[in-house]
Amino acid sequence: MKWVRRTYALIAATAMLLAASTAWASSVGAGAGGSQAYEADLPAGLSTAKDMCALLPCKDVFPGATAFSERMGQPPYVEALGGPDGQQKLGYVMLSTDITDIPAYSGKPVVTLIGMDNEGKFVGVKVLKHSEPILLLGIPESALIDFNNQYLGKSVKDKIEVGQSRPDEDVIGLDAISGATVTVIAQNQVMMTAGAAVARQTGIIEPVVRQPVDYVPAPANAALPDWATLVKQGAVQKVTVQPEQVGLAKTGQPFIELWFGTLNSPIIGPAILGGSNYRHLMGQLKDGETAIFVVRTAGQESFKGSGFVRGGIYDRIQVRQDNDTFTFRDTDALNLYGINAQGAPAYTESGIFIIRSKAFSAAYPWKLGFLGNKVDRATGAKTFTAFDTAYWLPAEYLVGGHPKIEVPEATWVKVWKARAPQIVLFALLLLAVTVVYALREHLTRRATHKNTWAVNSFKYFFWIVFVVWVGFGLMAQPSVTQVLTWLHSILFRWEWTLFLSDPFIFLFWVFIFITIFVFGRGLFCGWTCPFGSMQEMLFKIAGAIGLKRFQFDPPQRWHDRLKWGKYAAFFMLVVVSLFSMVQAEKLAEIEPFKTTFLVGITNRSWPYAAFVLAIFAVAVFIERPYCKYICPLGASLAMPSTFRWFGLRRKADCNSCKACAKGCSALAINADGQIDHRECLHCLDCMVLYTDAAGCPPLAKERKLREREGQALTPIGKDGYFIPIVPIEDDRQHQHAQTLLAKGVDPRWPTERVHPPVENLSGLRRLLGETADHLWPFTRAAWKSSRTVVALGLAAALTASLVWLLAASGSASPLIVIGAWFGWSVFEVVVRLQGKRYVKDGPWWGKVYRHANVMDMLSYVGFKNLLIGAAIFWLLARADMMVIA
């Protein structure tokens, strides 16, 4: 008992260390890695300020400059000035987000200030703001600074890539940041894209030369296409911006709606303008110039810009083609007096705009961008946002069709290609684990309670590989922050590229999602989790070197209380994430994974290092303490494990025999011999005993009786008993089993079987019955049991329904909807516990139902309503009834 008290004290001290570390990180205003730029506030009005360097530390990226010009060019940049008279142009300074918004791993761009001299060499780089969680509480931000410093002295003309240098291909390699590959690949694209855009404008790099347009001539006497035909072909495109997209209240009308297209085509131009107007326009254009038209058909916002004056530029629209941006001055605009095409909509604002640069070619795809201020409704802050719509002149209007173009590979594609051999090996490793575990019954039959190497040889091998190669090598330890990202993506906006950007984590989660619903959480948590495997390896090694007499399992009553800690941690993180992912990511430091694998204990401040060391210290004496009592990731996987298809086998004798329960280090077997698959870590010791004729007490008893009576020892069947040598109804094993089941609970199920009315339905009636059962939790029995609870539940259901209707009309924000849906879910749990207290066990298409305890019901309602809520969010977003941001 002395060790028990000491261990509990150590667990409490660990929790205090975690709280102290979180408070310390918050008090200094930086993450564990010294992150000063994480979600940093940028100066108000930065996106539109002419004097950019009055708001930003431009001297930090161009130390030799004494003054800086105002923004110029398109995309914008400023000139760095110096020299004896202070007016000599030394180079250029650019803000990355003025040029490109390439997202990093977080899905948001790394806002970077870049200095470049007159020859195109980088002279300074400074990260102003980023949203990379790994640089908040994992890898120190200094690592990103060191990465950026590699650009100094290199030229924008160079071929620079993340990875090994390849002199034979003139490729200059940059050292990546371990654990942040996606971030640095995206940052390299930002640096080279931004630098090249300014270098082309200033003559450092020759402008891009695109194939000139060769238009298909108009057929003689052929009818011109009407408006509907042009729209169907893609010759005319639409830009629609809703009020919610710029932070305004939903009105049911667009903030602005624009239609646009090119006019140079001998078919499209006359169709839009009419023959005489088209010929007049073509007579005004010089060789290589392209005319486009823009009309506003809805909304009160002007696309020409409220601040436009003669001699100025149209600051609300621009054309982008690859890295080139084209803007329009008053001399580039002509009046559009009417649209000739039949069926054209009425419009309230119009114009013809001429792209005069020969770098532009209408034969290649381009984008029309509407530029507007987006208002953060919570803070009132404004950010300049571009709403782009792609346009590519239909192939039938171009001689020879569309030219072949090389589309730059997405960041995630580059990552997958660069690490293809490791990805293949990792996928094979996950497949091997799955196959081995799927064959667990064959392995456990070859093991005994005294010799478990038929199972443990595989398990120990996988532990070593996942700790050494996957954890420390690939740094592919899954985290609860990824669970939060999945939840937010399901509810708000799903982006595959966000998840594909880290191939090892992506494949690991595919493996996890499949296996938790097939086998439960135990395969990941017990066999492949790097941190969990490390804990158990420490426990095993400690026992082997003489500390086994000090090792113990906490008393069951304490375990049953402490195990709720991980669920509390998970629910806390989910709730906090709905209000602030930044705070949730900070609190996610309750996971020691970053400290252990990504950064290293010696590279972190003492509270984080102490937290990890304390866990390892406890793990020497208690098997997997973190997994059992703290891990929010484990809790998030435990809940869907309620619905695993296949569990571990039990026999009737398990409700009286305690052999497996006594040997269960996860303490997942209760006094009645039932397995809690949310707590089971799949060590398979109970499965070894299940068919061990010497170790399993009921089998040992039967074996001895048969040996004494001279009867044959038949193989052990799937039910865990010797195959009968007499008719099964006369077999003493099965007779004894029936007696035990009549007296006690059935340990073959996590809870006792129940038989709701829906179980007896079949065909279409069953499908409709199960649908109604999922959607309608109320019953007459529940009403009789507690009218107050049912009345409150009905009120909560009506409230949630009303909020969904308000959301559909644009009067309720997603956060309000989630709050109401969460409140209804809580009441649904209570109502179902009063009446429909059952959940389905095994495959979802089966007919096996069992009694639901509180955790069963929380898992069922939470998972079901998450999917329903996500589906409704998706439908509302698709119907343009709600903007999910």
Side-chain angles (χ1 to χ4, degrees), residues 59-82:
K59 286 189 176 182
D60 287 359
V61 298
F62 216 115
T66 56
F68 299 90
S69 72
E70 292 185 343
R71 270 187 171 116
M72 60 179 63
Q74 196 58 240
Y77 61 89
V78 302
E79 291 182 344
L81 306 174

Side-chain angles (χ1 to χ4, degrees), residues 459-524:
K459 187 165 58 175
Y460 293 170
F461 169 77
F462 288 131
W463 284 355
I464 294 170
V465 173
F466 276 91
V467 170
V468 177
W469 185 53
V470 178
F472 288 106
L474 301 180
M475 300 183 182
Q477 167 71 60
S479 166
V480 73
T481 57
Q482 292 142 14
V483 176
L484 300 179
T485 302
W486 285 103
L487 291 176
H488 280 247
S489 297
I490 290 173
L491 287 175
F492 299 122
R493 180 181 298 162
W494 187 271
E495 295 182 5
W496 276 108
T497 55
L498 177 61
F499 307 111
L500 290 168
S501 56
D502 190 323
F504 303 106
I505 291 295
F506 176 79
L507 290 176
F508 218 154
W509 276 107
V510 171
F511 164 81
I512 292 169
F513 282 150
I514 293 173
T515 58
I516 58 174
F517 287 112
V518 177
F519 304 121
R521 69 175 278 215
L523 180 53
F524 166 72

Side-chain angles (χ1 to χ4, degrees), residues 584-644:
E585 286 163 356
K586 290 181 179 179
L587 292 173
E589 273 297 299
I590 197 172
E591 289 183 328
F593 308 151
K594 295 188 185 84
T595 302
T596 305
F597 298 112
L598 296 182
V599 185
I601 293 176
T602 59
N603 296 325
R604 300 208 71 179
S605 55
W606 72 264
Y608 298 93
F611 179 45
V612 174
L613 293 175
I615 292 173
F616 288 154
V618 178
V620 169
F621 305 103
I622 298 178
E623 191 171 328
R624 291 179 179 259
Y626 180 81
C627 304
K628 293 176 183 175
Y629 307 124
I630 303 176
C631 184
L633 174 63
S636 69
L637 302 183
M639 295 180 69
S641 294
T642 303
F643 315 109
R644 84 278 168 274

Side-chain angles (χ1 to χ4, degrees), residues 1-8 552 555 557-558:
M1 293 304 293
K2 178 174 67 174
W3 278 101
V4 175
R5 289 193 297 271
R6 289 181 178 178
T7 303
Y8 294 148
F552 63 94
R557 65 181 184 277
W558 279 102

Side-chain angles (χ1 to χ4, degrees), residues 532-808:
S533 300
M534 183 180 289
Q535 286 180 86
E536 191 155 358
M537 286 171 63
L538 280 173
F539 183 82
K540 298 292 186 184
I541 293 171
I545 63 175
L547 296 178
K548 192 172 185 65
R549 60 196 179 100
F550 299 114
Q551 295 176 330
F552 63 94
D553 292 326
Q556 187 72 43
R557 65 181 184 277
W558 279 102
H559 170 80
D560 291 339
R561 296 170 184 171
L562 292 173
K563 71 180 181 181
W564 296 103
K566 59 181 177 287
Y567 296 103
F570 174 61
F571 282 118
M572 174 194 68
L573 290 171
V574 170
V575 172
V576 171
S577 73
L578 295 176
F579 296 93
S580 171
M581 274 297 290
V582 174
Q583 292 302 319
E585 286 163 356
K586 290 181 179 179
L587 292 173
E589 273 297 299
I590 197 172
E591 289 183 328
F593 308 151
K594 295 188 185 84
T595 302
T596 305
F597 298 112
L598 296 182
V599 185
I601 293 176
T602 59
N603 296 325
R604 300 208 71 179
S605 55
W606 72 264
Y608 298 93
F611 179 45
V612 174
L613 293 175
I615 292 173
F616 288 154
V618 178
V620 169
F621 305 103
I622 298 178
E623 191 171 328
R624 291 179 179 259
Y626 180 81
C627 304
K628 293 176 183 175
Y629 307 124
I630 303 176
C631 184
L633 174 63
S636 69
L637 302 183
M639 295 180 69
S641 294
T642 303
F643 315 109
R644 84 278 168 274
W645 293 353
F646 306 108
L648 301 181
R649 295 188 182 277
R650 302 271 80 199
K651 63 185 74 172
D653 296 78
C654 294
N655 66 12
S656 58
C657 173
K658 310 297 181 183
C660 290
K662 289 179 180 177
C664 181
S665 58
L667 301 177
I669 304 177
N670 65 16
D672 295 318
Q674 296 169 312
I675 296 178
D676 183 351
H677 287 89
R678 285 183 292 268
E679 300 301 316
C680 178
L681 299 178
H682 292 194
C683 67
L684 299 184
D685 287 349
C686 62
M687 287 292 290
V688 170
L689 277 180
Y690 185 76
T691 55
D692 184 357
C696 177
L699 289 180
K701 180 180 179 181
E702 175 66 16
R703 175 180 58 81
K704 291 176 182 177
L705 286 173
R706 289 194 181 192
E707 288 175 346
R708 189 161 49 245
E709 295 172 2
Q711 296 176 340
L713 290 178
T714 56
I716 298 170
K718 288 188 176 182
D719 61 0
Y721 296 109
F722 286 104
I723 295 175
I725 54 179
V726 296
I728 190 169
E729 61 271 12
D730 298 326
D731 181 67
R732 61 179 166 235
Q733 301 169 99
H734 291 86
Q735 289 178 348
H736 181 64
Q738 293 303 316
T739 301
L740 290 173
L741 292 176
K743 292 181 179 179
V745 300
D746 189 342
R748 294 172 297 180
W749 310 101
T751 55
E752 64 268 24
R753 289 281 307 274
V754 296
H755 303 279
V758 70
E759 181 184 12
N760 299 318
L761 301 177
S762 59
L764 181 60
R765 292 184 62 194
R766 178 188 169 192
L767 178 62
L768 295 175
E770 286 202 359
T771 302
D773 209 44
H774 288 309
L775 299 177
W776 188 254
F778 304 103
T779 62
R780 293 180 180 178
W783 177 255
K784 293 178 181 179
S785 174
S786 177
R787 296 186 177 185
T788 301
V789 169
V790 175
L792 290 174
L794 282 169
L798 290 173
T799 300
S801 301
L802 177 61
V803 171
W804 278 116
L805 291 174
L806 291 173

Side-chain angles (χ1 to χ4, degrees), residues 44-58:
L46 173 61
S47 57
T48 57
K50 290 185 177 180
D51 192 357
M52 181 183 78
C53 292
L55 302 176
L56 298 178
C58 293

